[in-house]
Amino acid sequence: MPTFMCRALVRTVTVLLAVVLLAAQPAHARKVKCRSVPVFVESSRLADTARACEGARDAVRFLASQGLDAPPVISIKVVDNMPEAVPRAALGAYSRSEQMIYVLDYAAFRRRHNTFKVPAAPSIYRAVISHEVAHAIAFHNFKSEPTLLGQEYIAFVTFFATLRPDLREEILWRYDYDADWQLYAVILYLTDALEFGAHAYWHFLRPENGRRYLQRILAGEVLTLDN
């Protein structure tokens, strides 16, 4: 082989190896401010950042329509695994002590999507983020010590309210509404959190509840351990 061809081949292989090595390097997380809402997302993938911002905006807008104010700053960190203190099966979590929302990246979410018994979809992922952002917003608006059931009621109502309608119906039809669900709400949440969420959403939709009921939760009047 002529010398000039050998040199050209070496340069080509060197360039290809450089490209492969560059692609193999882990992407660095970047913090981005979401447009029109006080939300900052830290993620190594722009697509996950966009989805997180969309989910956060959905939550902020829905809860604003219910009279809840967003805190000055909401921070979201997109991770490929939950922190050690969070159950491994969790798709997201809100840390009150850190004032930080953790959510799985979309690739990890797709591997665990069976939580909702429907095919994985970006709308579900965004609604999961809305759920966690709702925790942060609700905590900011509580007038008394937040309760687990009160927090989860608001978060699940936000989840279903921001979910694509056809997916919402596909999840909800699996459950039958029980008007007395609050009598065993704790057990319901501990045994099947999604069923708790379905009952919360149906309860929220009743004309006598809605925004008024959310405000009663924030005031510590309902969904406490005593009622």
Side-chain angles (χ1 to χ4, degrees):
M1 181 181 294
T3 302
F4 74 89
M5 292 184 65
C6 289
R7 291 174 178 171
L9 181 60
V10 170
R11 284 197 297 270
T12 301
V13 171
T14 301
V15 170
L16 287 174
L17 284 174
V19 170
V20 170
L21 289 172
L22 182 61
Q25 295 299 314
H28 294 291
R30 294 179 55 194
K31 183 177 288 188
V32 174
K33 166 71 167 60
C34 299
R35 178 176 50 82
S36 75
V37 288
V39 179
F40 291 84
V41 177
E42 184 177 337
S43 173
S44 59
R45 297 175 180 84
L46 289 177
D48 287 339
T49 298
R51 294 185 182 106
C53 284
E54 290 173 14
R57 276 193 292 269
D58 289 344
V60 170
R61 289 168 181 167
F62 170 70
L63 291 174
S65 73
Q66 305 301 312
L68 279 70
D69 298 321
V73 175
I74 299 173
S75 298
I76 301 174
K77 183 175 289 187
V78 181
V79 295
D80 54 7
N81 284 293
M82 285 288 115
E84 289 186 3
V86 179
R88 289 180 60 84
L91 302 176
Y94 170 60
S95 171
R96 286 175 55 181
S97 60
E98 299 177 77
Q99 295 188 3
M100 175 68 70
I101 294 166
Y102 293 95
V103 293
L104 290 177
D105 60 38
Y106 189 63
F109 163 78
R110 284 177 60 87
R111 293 193 292 269
R112 304 184 190 181
H113 75 276
N114 286 336
T115 299
F116 303 103
K117 304 178 179 66
V118 295
S123 177
I124 297 179
Y125 182 68
R126 292 193 298 269
V128 167
I129 294 167
S130 294
H131 176 106
E132 299 305 333
V133 171
H135 276 297
I137 295 174
F139 179 70
H140 179 70
N141 284 266
F142 266 95
K143 300 175 179 63
S144 60
E145 180 62 23
T147 65
L148 171 65
L149 295 183
Q151 281 263 342
E152 292 298 339
Y153 183 105
I154 294 171
F156 269 112
V157 165
T158 304
F159 170 83
F160 281 110
T162 58
L163 190 58
R164 205 174 72 201
D166 62 315
L167 292 173
R168 179 170 62 229
E169 293 175 9
E170 189 172 352
I171 294 173
L172 290 176
W173 77 266
R174 301 173 186 274
Y175 302 105
D176 295 320
Y177 182 65
D178 181 355
D180 296 322
W181 70 280
Q182 290 192 47
L183 297 177
Y184 54 94
V186 174
I187 297 174
L188 192 62
Y189 176 74
L190 293 176
T191 56
D192 188 343
L194 189 58
E195 184 172 5
F196 170 91
H199 279 77
Y201 183 67
W202 278 318
H203 180 267
F204 171 80
L205 291 180
R206 297 176 70 87
E208 67 271 21
N209 297 321
R211 174 173 175 157
R212 183 184 302 110
Y213 195 81
L214 294 187
Q215 295 300 323
R216 292 186 66 196
I217 291 175
L218 296 172
E221 298 174 2
V222 292
L223 283 183
T224 67
L225 293 178
D226 299 326
N227 52 33

